[in-house]
Amino acid sequence: MRRQLTPTVLTAAAVAGVVTFSLVASAPVGNAAARPSSAYAVSAEGQVPIPKTPYAESLDGTRHTTSALELPKNPLISVRAGTATAGNDSASVELFDIVVGPDILSQVTIPPELKQQCSTLPKTGADNLPLPDIALPDLGLPLPKLSTKDLPVKNLPDLCNLLLNPPKSLLGIDSLNVWCSGDEGGVDIGSLTLLGQTIKLPSTKQSASLPSNPLASITVNSQGKHSDGAFTITGLSINLGGGTEVINLASATCAKPAAKPKPKPQPQAPHEAPAQVNTPPAAPVPTPVKTHHPVTG
C-alpha cells in the first residue's frame, strides 16, 4: 500500500498585493486511464504554447533521464538547463535560471514629465507623492492592458527606480527542484525575484495565499491524486493575464509502472515416434541329426 504524507511546502509569502502564492491540497485529478511515471521541466498553454520540455517517462519501471539546455524559441520564458527523470514509481525535475518575461520593462518609454519629476524628487517627503496613472505599452506578453498603478511599487520613488533601471525579467527563479516517490513529494525553490524585487520563501501552512496581482498569479507546490492512483506534484504554476497564459514549471508524476507482459510460451516441436529399425529375424536353433560312422580296423 502506498504511503500518505503531509507535504513540506516552500512558498512565498512576503510581498502582499504583488503575487499570489498558494498550496493546493491533494485532490482527485481527472479520470484518465492508468499512466506511467513521468516528469517535465517546462510547459505552457495559451497564446504562447510550449510543449513539455524536457520530458521523460517510464513505461516499464526503467529509469529514464533527459536534459535540455534551451527551450523552443519563444518570447515568454527561458531556462539555462533542465533535467527530467522518471523511473519505477518515482520522478524528479531539476531546473536552473528560469526567466519569465525577459526585459519586460525595457521597452517602456517614460513620459518626459515623469522623467522630470523623477529627476527632481525631494530627499524627504517623496514617499507621500501620488503615483501617476500612465498606460503601459504592449509588453509582448499575454497580459491585459496595464498602467503604472498595476506595477508592484509602493510609492513614486519606487516607480522611478523601476522604470529608470528596468529589471531583466518579470519573474526570475534561481533554481527549482521537485521530486515524488509513491504518494509523497517535495519542492525546493531557490531565490525568486518579481520585477527585480527579491521575494522571501518562508514555509507556510496549507492553502496559504496572498492577494492576486494583474501581472501574475502563482501557485506553489500544487499536489493531486489521479483516479488511477497516480500522484502529481508541480513546483510552480504561473497564471498570466487571468488565465490567458498558464506556465507550469517542474512537474513530476509518480505511478506504478505497467505490468511487464508475461513471456509467451515457446512452441514445442511435434512429438515424433522413434524411428523403426528393421531387425532381421533370429536364426532358428539347429536340430541335431543322428548318423552312422563307418568302422575300420
Side-chain angles (χ1 to χ4, degrees), residues 137-204:
D138 182 0
L139 301 176
L141 296 177
L143 293 170
K145 291 183 178 180
L146 301 173
S147 77
T148 50
K149 287 192 174 182
D150 293 315
L151 298 176
V153 293
K154 298 178 181 179
N155 49 48
L156 183 58
D158 283 351
L159 176 63
C160 291
N161 182 62
L162 184 64
L163 295 179
L164 294 174
N165 303 285
K168 294 181 179 180
S169 65
L170 167 64
L171 189 67
I173 306 159
D174 179 57
S175 64
L176 177 59
N177 299 325
V178 169
W179 63 271
C180 68
S181 178
D183 282 341
E184 62 182 29
V187 176
D188 183 20
I189 305 174
S191 127
L192 187 151
T193 60
L194 177 69
L195 287 178
Q197 299 181 23
T198 299
I199 298 176
K200 296 181 180 179
L201 299 173
S203 61
T204 65

Side-chain angles (χ1 to χ4, degrees), residues 189-228:
I189 305 174
S191 127
L192 187 151
T193 60
L194 177 69
L195 287 178
Q197 299 181 23
T198 299
I199 298 176
K200 296 181 180 179
L201 299 173
S203 61
T204 65
K205 295 181 180 180
Q206 191 167 325
S207 300
S209 63
L210 292 173
S212 185
N213 178 270
L215 290 176
S217 174
I218 298 179
T219 301
V220 179
N221 196 355
S222 62
Q223 301 185 13
K225 294 180 181 178
H226 303 267
S227 59
D228 60 4

Side-chain angles (χ1 to χ4, degrees), residues 65 99 114 246 269 272-273:
T65 298
V99 174
L114 179 57
V246 177
E272 295 180 358

Side-chain angles (χ1 to χ4, degrees), residues 85-151:
T85 300
N88 187 9
D89 202 14
S90 64
S92 63
V93 180
E94 292 182 338
L95 202 51
F96 299 97
D97 293 344
I98 308 108
V99 174
V100 179
D103 299 321
I104 187 172
L105 292 181
S106 61
Q107 54 192 299
V108 174
T109 301
I110 304 177
E113 60 274 17
L114 179 57
K115 269 190 176 182
Q116 176 65 24
Q117 193 174 7
C118 289
S119 64
T120 57
L121 287 176
K123 294 183 179 181
T124 59
D127 292 355
N128 297 323
L129 295 175
L131 285 172
D133 189 3
I134 301 172
L136 297 178
D138 182 0
L139 301 176
L141 296 177
L143 293 170
K145 291 183 178 180
L146 301 173
S147 77
T148 50
K149 287 192 174 182
D150 293 315
L151 298 176

